Amino acid sequence: AMSDVSELYFLPLLMPWLAETAPMVHLEIVRLDPATVEQAMRVGEVDLALGLLPGIGRGVDSRLLFRDSFVCLVRAGHPVTEAPITDLEATLRELRYAYANTSATGHQRAEQWLTEIGIRRRIVLRLGHFTLAPHVVRATDLAVIFPESVARLINADDAFRLLPLPDGRPVIDIMVHAHVHFRSDPGIGWLRDGLIAHFAGGALPPG
């Protein structure tokens, strides 16, 4: 189970590794619902969950993969990048934004934090799907708040510029979660250990 944000980050990196090391393995990804995922793991409906799950119960074994934060994503060549930014908060207020709807807990925390520190953004587009945001930003002068890990991954061709957020921005723990009832399951253990080996500390799988 994972959120749409986690899908965007993990799957392009995970699937080539699986194809090389275990080509007969198939995955089924289901939506990560923080309210029900612990029960789903307990009864064996979900093997592993990836992401931020605050308040998860003691019946779940959670291992840290990496810590993530957030940036403001704009296209390369955006007018805001033409001169040094001297007042970051004022610049963030002046931009026009797309709002990428997601159920990811960490992303919701970042959006709430921006409001709390008084950065009220002019949102001119609300997207129903988080994964559309980079395509919109690449083709327009809109900005979007994005997890830094995902922003760096999709910026391999330098199509974007990553603007920092002010000091004190949320830092979230991205973890892999498995229920203790299945700690002896060899398949679950193998995949969990592989995720830790290849993603812990922000490392990427070979490929």
Side-chain angles (χ1 to χ4, degrees):
M2 61 179 79
S3 69
D4 49 357
V5 178
S6 292
E7 287 177 346
L8 193 56
Y9 177 74
F10 283 106
L11 293 183
L13 302 170
L14 176 62
M15 295 312 296
W17 172 71
L18 280 177
E20 180 180 348
T21 59
M24 300 304 293
V25 168
H26 72 276
L27 296 182
E28 179 180 355
I29 308 300
V30 297
R31 178 178 175 270
L32 179 63
D33 184 347
T36 61
V37 68
E38 183 176 353
Q39 170 66 10
M41 285 193 290
R42 187 180 71 82
V43 300
E45 294 176 354
V46 169
D47 294 329
L48 296 171
L50 293 175
L52 175 68
L53 287 176
I56 197 73
R58 293 183 179 180
V60 175
D61 179 15
S62 301
R63 310 286 181 92
L64 179 67
L65 295 176
F66 58 90
R67 290 188 167 90
D68 203 3
S69 192
F70 297 87
V71 296
C72 178
L73 192 70
V74 298
R75 67 172 176 85
H78 190 290
V80 77
T81 66
E82 294 176 356
I85 296 175
T86 57
D87 188 334
L88 178 59
E89 293 192 13
T91 297
L92 292 174
R93 292 189 188 97
E94 291 168 1
L95 289 168
R96 300 166 71 242
Y97 288 87
Y99 176 83
N101 187 40
T102 176
S103 60
T105 306
H107 199 85
Q108 294 172 355
R109 184 179 295 177
E111 295 282 354
Q112 180 180 354
W113 172 78
L114 285 167
T115 300
E116 290 173 352
I117 66 171
I119 298 181
R120 300 192 178 278
R121 292 163 294 142
R122 185 153 56 113
I123 296 172
V124 300
L125 175 64
R126 292 183 179 272
L127 296 168
H129 299 282
F130 181 87
T131 52
L132 289 177
H135 303 287
V136 173
V137 169
R138 184 193 291 258
T140 68
D141 282 343
L142 298 184
V144 69
I145 302 302
F146 235 57
E148 185 173 358
S149 61
V150 181
R152 293 190 180 281
L153 183 67
I154 65 173
N155 197 35
D157 59 355
D158 292 323
F160 301 98
R161 294 294 177 266
L162 280 57
L163 307 182
L165 296 185
D167 291 342
R169 59 192 174 275
V171 175
I172 61 172
D173 291 341
I174 305 300
M175 309 186 83
V176 55
H177 311 269
H179 204 280
V180 296
H181 286 180
F182 298 96
R183 62 176 40 155
S184 61
D185 184 287
I188 294 175
W190 174 83
L191 182 56
R192 182 197 62 194
D193 292 346
L195 287 165
I196 293 170
H198 291 294
F199 288 98
L204 305 182

